[in-house]
Amino acid sequence: MLRHIFSKVRNRGPLLSTRDKAMPSIYLLTRNFHHGQVCNAPRSFFGVEDFLDDNNSRPYTYKKEKISKNPQKHVSFKQRTVAYMEPFTLDVFISKRFVSASLTHRVTSKQVAVAGTNSKDIKAVLKSRSDIPACLAVGQILADRAREADVYTAAYTPRERDKFEGKIRAVVQSLIDSGIDVKVYLD
């Protein structure tokens, strides 16, 4: 079949005339080859069409969206607006060796203020990097940096494994004493 098409092009030249129009031979090649229609084969590479997702809608190679278990579930007004009403969250991390805390904007997920006992300016002053005085120092420095960034309120929800006592409470209490209004949500 290709030999037949190439012989037509060779005999007629690079520009072919049909019904008072001069068309390039490449157009005629494609027009004659598929009869002027686009040829889409239903087959795919390695037979991907055999492997469909749970809804039998798309091949498994496509990115799956998270499907809600209960699509009729009502989302309250508070759940939809809390990220905008209280945009900053406090995150406190305490390990055996150091303490760090940060204020993060919920909507943009950017850290506004960060303080930790691993930083050079705090390392030199503290005797220990993980005791209660270190937690108080981290809270005071975080409050100063938050005020520089015009952040005066934050919300804090402890992680499931954390109890709101001891070192975590010291960091939060230090922030409150330094002038940052922290709302603590205990479940």
Side-chain angles (χ1 to χ4, degrees):
M1 184 172 179
L2 285 174
R3 194 179 298 166
H4 175 69
I5 294 170
F6 285 126
S7 66
K8 278 186 178 178
V9 171
R10 191 176 48 222
N11 292 340
R12 294 185 185 170
L15 285 178
L16 303 171
S17 60
T18 56
R19 295 189 189 164
D20 303 327
K21 280 188 177 177
M23 293 186 288
S25 60
I26 295 172
Y27 174 75
L28 275 180
L29 265 175
T30 58
R31 194 187 72 169
N32 287 340
F33 190 69
H34 294 294
H35 304 290
Q37 295 178 357
V38 178
C39 181
N40 286 335
R43 294 175 296 155
S44 62
F45 195 64
F46 288 129
V48 174
E49 68 273 4
D50 296 336
F51 304 100
L52 299 174
D53 65 356
D54 298 334
N55 298 337
N56 291 334
S57 59
R58 292 187 227 138
Y60 75 95
T61 53
Y62 285 104
K63 184 179 175 184
K64 278 182 155 182
E65 297 170 7
K66 189 172 182 181
I67 299 171
S68 175
K69 291 180 181 177
N70 187 1
Q72 286 81 26
K73 182 179 177 184
H74 175 72
V75 179
S76 70
F77 179 76
K78 183 178 180 181
Q79 288 173 329
R80 284 181 275 149
T81 59
V82 71
Y84 298 97
M85 302 301 271
E86 297 167 353
F88 297 101
T89 58
L90 172 66
D91 183 36
V92 180
F93 178 74
I94 297 176
S95 72
K96 292 180 181 178
R97 299 185 69 188
F98 66 93
V99 177
S100 66
S102 64
L103 285 172
T104 308
H105 193 268
R106 281 188 191 183
V107 180
T108 60
S109 298
K110 292 193 178 181
Q111 290 185 335
V112 178
V114 180
T117 55
N118 261 1
S119 61
K120 289 181 182 178
D121 53 343
I122 303 175
K123 257 189 209 180
V125 177
L126 296 174
K127 234 184 345 182
S128 171
R129 288 189 244 166
S130 62
D131 58 352
I132 299 248
C135 293
L136 293 172
V138 166
Q140 287 176 347
I141 292 171
L142 185 65
D144 294 339
R145 292 178 181 172
R147 269 190 254 112
E148 288 175 9
D150 289 334
V151 176
Y152 298 98
T153 60
Y156 176 68
T157 306
R159 295 185 181 100
E160 290 178 11
R161 66 179 184 270
D162 293 342
K163 295 178 182 172
F164 187 66
E165 58 188 31
K167 295 177 182 178
I168 293 177
R169 189 175 184 121
V171 172
V172 174
Q173 192 61 45
S174 176
L175 274 168
I176 292 170
D177 293 343
S178 299
I180 304 296
D181 180 32
V182 179
K183 291 184 183 178
V184 180
Y185 294 102
L186 300 174
D187 292 334

